[in-house]
Amino acid sequence: MAGWIHMVTARTPTNIAVIKYWGKRDESLILPVNDSISVTLDPEHLCTTTTVAVSPGFDQDRMWLNGKEISLSGGRYQNCLREIRARAEDFEDNERGIKIAKQDWQKLRVHIASYNNFPTAAGLASSAAGFACLVFALAKLMNAKEDPSQLSAIARQGSGSACRSLYGGFVKWIMGKEENGSDSLAVQLVDENHWDDLVIIIAVVSSRQKETSSTTGMRDTVETSMLLQHRAKVEVVPKRIVKMEEAIQNHDFSSFAQLTCSDSNQFHAVCLDTCPPIFYMNDTSHRIISCIEKWNRSEESPQVAYTFDAGPNAVLIARNRKTAALLLQRMLYFFPPSADTDMSSYVLGDKSILKDAGIQGINDVDALPPPPEMKDKVPAQRNGGEVSYFICTRPGRGPLLLSEADESLALLDHSTGLPK
Ligand code: DP6
């Protein structure tokens, strides 16, 4: 390896939309037909870690995702690399004798290694965290001085939802008006401490079906769905955006839950209105919705909000820890683990919720009584094996630069620039 290697490692969260982005008005710049709002998930449980390295010894841009080399030739990667290179600044490390002038960045090649701390196959938004992390890490490496909003407009060109992962807490992606996309970017509404009562439980639903990608799905929707046009009108999404911002500012869980559930359901209705129709939710997803709806109706005000992206997994947002424990009891009652699964691999993330729910082992799950709102009804069906596992998490922080000094965190080797 000729010469020095300069590298940076960063960690970026994933996010889940509570008002959905679905449909582009510009395919190549990735400009949406409406604003969207998301909550950032705690990177401790769901995040992407990316190391980016530069060296005069590298002869081409290369990337490894979860240890496997992938092609960078796609337009989305190229757009992100080009935009960051265009904003690169002089870099100097006197100690190591590294000096990179602004214009040198165009000629220097990069190596990128990225790793998700959650299974990619689970259908959780990996592209959001992935592109956000790539852009954030490259910007640090190349000493670009852009703020998170400006970086979000670059990450957006990798994957739309990625722009919302440049911030923690609750984030709004403003659709913008400009044709060149310069005003289509993310802003933080509140940070992760503003509404820290919230607990998020993700049900990773077993699925055999190969899902339609968001990109192709929303392209078909834009071309064929009348309902999408109705959705983008002032009285639907724009109004919901205003109400959602108010609900978040005021910690108004009832309004938050009502808007979140309605918007998820409308997004899936729009998918059904697409020709050919797109089915992202399955029977298990529908059973989860029924369970939450029944429970919410039996209480004075909603306890839990549900939302589903382009797949059958449920993201359930509970108003506080107490509700989250009750939610987990209900989920485990209806969806116990299959016989060969042990509890420690069935409930992941913040396992203290399991303790709050009074569940230590499978015997406690077997002994769970039916939820009170089920009383006097036909005996409930318990559907073992329909859920692969649960992840307990919470709203979380934005991107983080991991210590440049701590070589152990880097995914690339300091002497070869290749994956460790
Ligand atoms: C259902 O951001 O994955 O998750 O911009 O084509 O990469 P591209 O699509 P992507 O779409 C996400 C859609 C969604 C809703 C949302 O996150 O707002």
Side-chain angles (χ1 to χ4, degrees):
M1 175 59 59
W4 47 261
I5 300 180
H6 165 49
M7 63 172 78
V8 157
T9 301
R11 192 188 73 172
T12 301
T14 175
N15 72 78
I16 177 84
V18 290
I19 301 290
K20 304 290 183 195
Y21 146 54
W22 195 254
K24 299 180 183 71
R25 62 178 201 279
D26 185 311
E27 285 271 340
S28 60
L29 286 171
I30 311 196
L31 302 176
V33 296
N34 57 258
D35 292 351
S36 54
I37 293 180
S38 61
V39 56
T40 297
L41 304 181
D42 191 341
E44 205 179 303
H45 308 128
L46 294 144
C47 73
T48 297
T49 302
T50 300
T51 298
V52 288
V54 63
S55 167
F58 296 166
D59 56 7
Q60 54 171 322
D61 291 337
R62 294 177 76 182
M63 175 163 181
W64 294 264
L65 177 60
N66 296 322
K68 221 180 118 206
E69 183 154 18
I70 60 162
S71 162
L72 279 173
S73 64
R76 291 172 171 218
Y77 284 112
Q78 288 304 316
N79 288 347
C80 291
L81 281 163
R82 187 195 60 239
E83 293 298 312
I84 296 289
R85 278 194 172 110
R87 290 163 178 80
E89 294 288 343
D90 296 346
F91 173 82
E92 227 179 303
D93 181 341
N94 290 332
E95 237 169 74
R96 295 174 57 210
I98 304 176
K99 200 172 171 181
I100 308 172
K102 197 173 164 164
Q103 59 279 8
D104 294 343
W105 287 107
Q106 301 292 341
K107 289 170 272 161
L108 287 165
R109 301 298 105 196
V110 291
H111 282 187
I112 305 161
S114 204
Y115 167 80
N116 297 325
N117 72 346
F118 55 93
T120 320
L124 299 164
S126 54
S127 72
F131 275 104
C133 206
L134 173 69
V135 167
F136 181 80
L138 282 174
K140 293 286 175 212
L141 180 83
M142 300 189 183
N143 212 10
K145 298 286 188 294
E146 324 302 294
D147 67 27
S149 268
Q150 291 164 315
L151 292 181
S152 81
I154 300 173
R156 188 202 75 226
Q157 297 173 56
S159 180
S161 52
C163 75
R164 297 183 312 235
S165 275
L166 266 304
Y167 287 106
F170 281 91
V171 183
K172 172 158 104 166
W173 174 9
I174 301 171
M175 64 180 284
K177 288 195 205 74
E178 300 295 336
E179 257 179 53
N180 67 5
S182 57
D183 59 350
S184 185
L185 39 78
V187 293
Q188 186 177 52
L189 296 175
V190 294
D191 73 14
E192 61 278 17
N193 302 312
H194 169 79
W195 203 350
D196 60 0
D197 286 348
L198 300 179
V199 176
I200 300 170
I201 299 182
I202 303 170
V204 177
V205 170
S206 322
S207 158
R208 267 162 282 127
Q209 197 184 318
K210 169 96 185 77
E211 284 141 25
T212 313
S213 80
S214 301
T215 308
T216 10
M218 68 176 89
R219 188 180 303 142
D220 289 349
T221 300
V222 168
E223 280 168 12
T224 63
S225 170
M226 297 273 278
L227 191 53
L228 182 75
Q229 291 169 31
H230 167 68
R231 183 171 153 74
K233 282 192 193 133
V234 183
E235 64 270 23
V236 190
V237 173
K239 215 175 201 169
R240 279 186 186 163
I241 291 278
V242 174
K243 287 192 180 158
M244 182 58 92
E245 285 189 53
E246 277 169 15
I248 292 165
Q249 289 297 345
N250 303 328
H251 305 95
D252 179 350
F253 190 81
S254 295
S255 171
F256 172 79
Q258 193 264 320
L259 289 162
T260 300
C261 299
S262 302
D263 203 68
S264 171
N265 290 332
Q266 189 179 68
F267 154 51
H268 290 277
V270 161
C271 291
L272 212 55
D273 190 47
T274 298
C275 186
I278 310 165
F279 309 102
Y280 284 131
M281 293 195 287
N282 64 17
D283 287 353
T284 310
S285 320
H286 294 149
R287 272 197 271 279
I288 295 174
I289 294 182
S290 300
C291 160
I292 306 295
E293 287 284 351
K294 222 170 263 166
W295 180 21
N296 281 347
R297 262 154 234 278
S298 74
E299 304 276 346
E300 255 167 49
S301 60
Q303 302 300 301
V304 172
Y306 56 81
T307 187
F308 295 78
D309 273 350
N313 300 333
V315 178
L316 308 171
I317 309 175
R319 66 190 313 152
N320 54 37
R321 278 190 71 95
K322 202 171 140 226
T323 316
L326 296 170
L327 169 63
L328 195 54
Q329 287 174 346
R330 280 167 173 82
M331 285 296 115
L332 293 172
Y333 175 80
F334 289 113
F335 307 102
S338 54
D340 53 349
T341 312
D342 65 285
M343 283 311 285
S344 64
S345 54
Y346 197 53
V347 179
L348 308 175
D350 178 4
K351 290 179 197 273
S352 67
I353 311 279
L354 200 57
K355 219 164 140 207
D356 288 6
I359 296 163
Q360 258 136 33
I362 188 69
N363 294 341
D364 300 315
V365 174
D366 290 340
L368 280 169
E373 66 272 16
M374 296 297 298
K375 278 219 180 91
D376 309 325
K377 301 267 161 60
V378 274
Q381 220 188 313
R382 300 188 71 178
N383 305 289
E386 284 192 18
V387 169
S388 301
Y389 53 89
F390 294 95
I391 306 172
C392 297
T393 184
R394 61 179 88 83
R397 58 161 300 152
L400 181 67
L401 179 65
L402 301 178
S403 161
E404 283 163 89
D406 190 349
E407 296 193 2
S408 69
L409 298 171
L411 302 174
L412 293 169
D413 185 276
H414 272 257
S415 52
T416 63
L418 294 170
K420 279 181 179 169

